[in-house]
Amino acid sequence: MISSIEITRFRGIREGKLEDLAPLTVLVGRNGCGKTSVLDALLVAGSRNPGEAIGQTVARHPGVEFGAPWLFWRRGYSGPAEVAMKTNYGTFVGDEIEQYERTTKLRLLEAPDEECRIEAKLLDNSDSKTLGGAAVDVAFSRGNKFSVAAEAPCLIPPEQFPGARLMEGRRSSLDTPLHELLSRARMHGLLREALHITQGVLPDAKELAIDVENGLPLVVLDYGDHAVPVALCGDGVYSLVSLSLELAAHEKTTVLFEEPEVHQHPGAMRQTVRAILAAVRRDIQVVLTTHSLELIDVLLAESSDEDLERLALYRMELDDGRLISARMTGPEVAFSRFEIENDLR
Amino acid sequence: MSESVVLCEGFHDRAFWAGWLEHLGCTNLGQASGNTGRIVVTDPSGNRVTGGQFAFRSASDKFVRLVPCRGDARRVRRKARLRLDEERQRFQQEASTPRLTRLVLNVDTDVDVVDTSAKTGFRLQDLGSLVDELDPSATNNEQGDFLLFDRRTTVSLVRWEAAGDATDGVPSQQTLERLVCSALMAAYSDRGPAVQQWLDGRPAGSAPGPKEFAWSYMAGWYAKFGCEGFYKELWRDDPVAEHLKVRLKESGAWRVAEALAE
């Protein structure tokens, strides 16, 4: 689980850190307060394939032909970017699980504009001792297309930290294909749970299944007498299905959600929250951003006391590029929202 | 982005504060003139002011938030701790400006002027303990306010109190009701005995508490304003407002409200 992140000159954040991240971490704040930058930083530093993650981070922000230099604070004129991340993990020693903490530092070095190349270094320095490092070269071209020249081996074994994955509230070409997620969910024995979440909104759906069309796999919602491709469903249904499959497809990972409530009816939002809480109970860490008080209300309403203990909310702001945050525990969030009815946005 | 916050116990305290702040020249942002539709009030961060909170603009354009805490002094304390903890975190991260410049905790002490041994209520030393938890290097000014986070945030305590012995027409528990009834009695000396007589004459009535006293004045002379409106309207009754001022000055509360309103 990612327990803290420290960011220096990365995207919109000149400096700042978030500490004591919880199994379920909610980031709130005004537009432009650095929430997306934090998610990008978590993705880059937390991914098992940092080169791919850097590419994804650039490509998921369309609208600039050459987006790579903008990974850096004010386009990189003031130096390289750094993201340091602490992860906690448990390892069996005999029959006992021992808890460890490891610090991973990722350094992005600036490169020229068009054929923008970024070198990333991974330095694993527990106890300030460098255990290893590796370089990743990512080549960017027009339209933010990217290729990873040589992938660095992740220094932390997958069983200790399976890595971070990002999901957005809107459809993205960077999403993992649904059929891959469905296969993995089935492999983990969690397809029924994903279906159940979907049935909360579409009660007549009987199965989530993989069909084949022109030799290509296609995930469909099977209603018994007919089937509908999930890709053709509205954005709200699509995001609910993909979110529930994403959470069911991986074990002990960190999933980053950007505004999961986008496109969702309150009923779908409730199902989304149920899927998130179920995943957190299975030791999946979820970090999400939101502007929705409704989502927070549903989250609190669906949470048990134990769930609240796993929750932390950060109210964020940027102060001339410096990330300022105030952390509240789950019970404090509940108190503020229900007892005092404070506006948490 | 900065604001002052008053944490009071309940809706009646909120109504009293609303009338008081308006009396001191603040503008109630929820009652802007010339708008016949629904009024949406936002704070300096652009968030809507909701959840029973009131918002004011002071004479020097500062934002003042009035927060009722479900009639529970413990919630006042807990909410204060949360707000100060948020400010502590911002201070430690060297935020350039405080979000919370002034915090006022307002409570009934419920101390009985006849039997003073029974309760103490939330006292200045209790607030001191809370402040010490969050900023051990906090200091006091001459008036007894706490100055936290390198003097960026001022914390004050307002306890509803009215000096004097037990009197007909005035409840003996130190509450907002006692403060109000005491001022009413001083402004209109014939009303107190009438209220006492009516309360004493109720068939099978239990011993009257603070609310029975206050509602009797409300029903007798301010009924058209309703329960909350009564507490606000008192500030428009000049003789009563004058006697409220005397009592609030005695308890030190007047100075705190003036600082909010300036």
Side-chain angles (χ1 to χ4, degrees):
Chain A
M1 188 182 98
I2 301 172
S3 59
S4 78
I5 186 157
E6 183 167 0
I7 300 166
T8 309
R9 292 184 296 273
F10 182 82
R11 282 216 177 274
I13 298 175
R14 179 163 55 83
E15 60 175 327
K17 58 185 169 185
L18 296 178
E19 294 182 303
D20 299 323
L21 297 180
L24 175 50
T25 296
V26 179
L27 309 178
V28 298
R30 304 176 76 179
N31 293 116
C33 74
K35 300 187 297 294
T36 300
S37 294
V38 169
L39 284 193
D40 283 342
L42 284 166
L43 177 64
V44 167
S47 171
R48 296 202 60 77
N49 301 297
E52 290 287 334
I54 289 169
Q56 187 183 355
T57 302
V58 172
R60 85 183 191 95
H61 300 288
V64 180
E65 277 290 287
F66 301 101
W70 297 100
L71 277 170
F72 300 87
W73 160 252
R74 295 191 178 167
R75 214 175 179 279
Y77 296 126
S78 52
E82 283 188 358
V83 184
M85 187 188 80
K86 284 185 181 169
T87 48
N88 294 325
Y89 59 93
T91 297
F92 274 103
V93 178
D95 292 337
E96 303 281 314
I97 294 180
E98 287 198 4
Q99 292 293 324
Y100 294 92
E101 185 177 74
R102 182 161 286 184
T103 303
T104 310
K105 188 176 278 187
L106 191 82
R107 196 154 192 250
L108 308 181
L109 301 173
E110 195 200 359
D113 291 345
E114 271 200 32
E115 284 295 315
C116 183
R117 296 178 68 81
I118 294 175
E119 185 184 39
K121 286 185 177 175
L122 286 168
L123 300 169
D124 185 15
N125 56 348
S126 308
D127 301 317
S128 303
K129 180 183 164 192
T130 302
L131 297 178
V136 183
D137 292 335
V138 188
F140 287 92
S141 58
R142 185 177 290 277
N144 298 321
K145 291 178 178 150
F146 66 96
S147 61
V148 183
E151 188 55 88
C154 187
L155 296 172
I156 307 177
E159 64 275 15
Q160 292 175 358
F161 179 63
R165 309 172 57 78
L166 178 90
M167 269 203 75
E168 299 181 69
R170 58 182 188 271
R171 296 180 204 223
S172 166
S173 59
L174 301 167
D175 289 347
T176 306
L178 285 182
H179 64 272
E180 279 188 34
L181 294 176
L182 189 146
S183 297
R184 282 173 172 270
R186 182 185 287 141
M187 203 162 62
H188 293 309
L190 292 168
L191 183 56
R192 186 61 46 189
E193 179 181 299
L195 174 67
H196 188 64
I197 292 292
T198 306
Q199 285 172 326
V201 174
L202 301 171
D204 295 335
K206 302 279 189 281
E207 295 290 345
L208 270 168
I210 298 178
D211 213 340
V212 177
E213 189 176 74
N214 296 328
L216 295 172
L218 187 68
V219 172
V220 295
L221 277 164
D222 189 338
Y223 288 86
D225 56 351
H226 69 288
V228 178
V230 173
L232 291 182
C233 294
D235 288 333
V237 169
Y238 178 86
S239 71
L240 179 64
V241 171
S242 59
L243 177 140
S244 57
L245 287 175
E246 177 75 41
L247 288 170
H250 303 279
E251 287 183 312
K252 297 185 178 176
T253 187
T254 296
V255 183
L256 315 169
F257 285 121
E258 179 141 39
E259 299 178 17
E261 74 275 9
V262 172
H263 303 302
Q264 291 194 339
H265 175 272
M269 205 183 290
R270 183 171 294 276
Q271 293 305 104
T272 291
V273 163
R274 286 176 177 167
I276 288 171
L277 288 174
V280 171
R281 288 171 200 142
R282 292 197 308 269
D283 287 339
I284 287 176
Q285 182 181 27
V286 173
V287 181
L288 65 88
T289 67
T290 184
H291 287 288
S292 170
L293 281 176
E294 289 75 15
L295 182 94
I296 291 172
D297 284 346
V298 172
L299 186 59
L300 295 172
E302 292 288 329
S303 290
S304 65
D305 287 348
E306 286 179 352
D307 292 328
L308 286 180
E309 293 297 331
R310 298 187 190 104
L311 169 68
L313 179 141
Y314 293 79
R315 298 175 76 169
M316 292 172 40
E317 64 186 280
L318 275 181
D319 186 348
D320 189 27
R322 197 144 37 85
L323 177 65
I324 307 288
S325 63
R327 182 185 192 276
M328 298 170 87
T329 63
E332 286 172 345
V333 175
F335 174 74
S336 289
R337 193 67 191 123
F338 292 149
E339 301 292 319
I340 302 295
E341 298 178 357
N342 191 20
D343 198 331
L344 289 168
R345 272 183 294 219
Chain B
M1 296 287 279
S2 299
E3 66 177 30
S4 299
V5 174
V6 178
L7 301 173
C8 59
E9 287 190 19
F11 291 159
H12 303 150
D13 306 277
R14 180 187 65 180
F16 184 81
W17 272 99
W20 192 7
L21 290 172
E22 287 177 25
H23 180 78
L24 290 170
C26 289
T27 304
N28 189 334
L29 298 177
Q31 294 181 353
S33 59
N35 190 336
T36 54
R38 189 179 177 198
I39 297 169
V40 175
V41 179
T42 55
D43 67 14
S45 300
N47 293 323
R48 282 179 59 188
V49 176
T50 58
Q53 302 177 7
F54 284 179
F56 299 84
R57 191 170 53 239
S58 76
S60 59
D61 212 24
K62 290 181 299 188
F63 184 84
V64 181
R65 187 193 297 268
L66 188 47
V67 183
C69 299
R70 298 199 178 188
D72 187 342
R74 288 169 304 179
R75 287 193 169 96
V76 171
R77 185 189 184 285
R78 194 169 169 196
K79 178 65 181 167
R81 197 189 184 294
L82 270 179
R83 284 305 305 254
L84 290 173
D85 188 42
E86 180 179 347
E87 203 55 37
R88 177 188 63 80
Q89 294 182 56
R90 296 183 73 256
F91 176 68
Q92 287 176 343
Q93 294 167 69
E94 299 175 10
S96 57
T97 54
R99 178 174 283 163
L100 183 65
T101 51
R102 186 174 280 274
L103 177 68
V104 178
L105 289 78
N106 168 223
V107 293
D108 286 326
T109 69
D110 295 328
V111 173
D112 196 300
V113 295
V114 179
D115 178 12
T116 54
S117 63
K119 287 181 178 176
T120 59
F122 188 76
R123 301 159 301 175
L124 204 58
Q125 53 262 48
D126 300 319
L127 179 57
S129 303
L130 174 66
V131 164
D132 197 47
E133 262 182 64
L134 294 151
D135 183 7
S137 58
T139 56
N140 286 95
N141 63 15
E142 288 175 356
Q143 291 81 33
D145 301 319
F146 294 91
L147 308 173
L148 286 76
F149 316 128
D150 209 11
R151 306 173 74 88
R152 300 192 334 166
T153 301
T154 303
V155 181
S156 311
L157 177 64
V158 167
R159 287 161 46 114
W160 294 139
E161 286 172 329
D165 298 327
T167 313
D168 275 358
V170 179
S172 59
Q173 274 181 295
Q174 293 286 17
T175 53
L176 173 65
E177 287 82 3
R178 176 176 164 82
L179 171 67
V180 162
C181 294
S182 167
L184 277 161
M185 179 71 178
Y188 304 107
S189 58
D190 53 339
R191 292 184 187 178
V195 164
Q196 191 68 51
Q197 192 179 358
W198 138 248
L199 288 171
D200 291 344
R202 292 172 301 155
S206 56
K211 294 213 183 307
E212 277 87 344
F213 281 98
W215 294 147
S216 298
Y217 286 100
M218 186 278 289
W221 294 276
Y222 302 90
K224 67 177 178 181
F225 301 110
C227 298
E228 281 189 56
F230 161 63
Y231 284 107
K232 192 175 172 187
E233 194 60 25
L234 291 172
W235 287 103
R236 295 201 179 101
D237 188 329
D238 290 339
V240 177
E242 199 50 45
H243 285 285
L244 284 171
K245 183 176 179 178
V246 170
R247 283 153 182 76
L248 290 164
K249 276 193 164 180
E250 273 178 7
S251 69
W254 188 265
R255 172 191 60 79
V256 174
E258 272 188 327
L260 287 168
E262 69 187 12

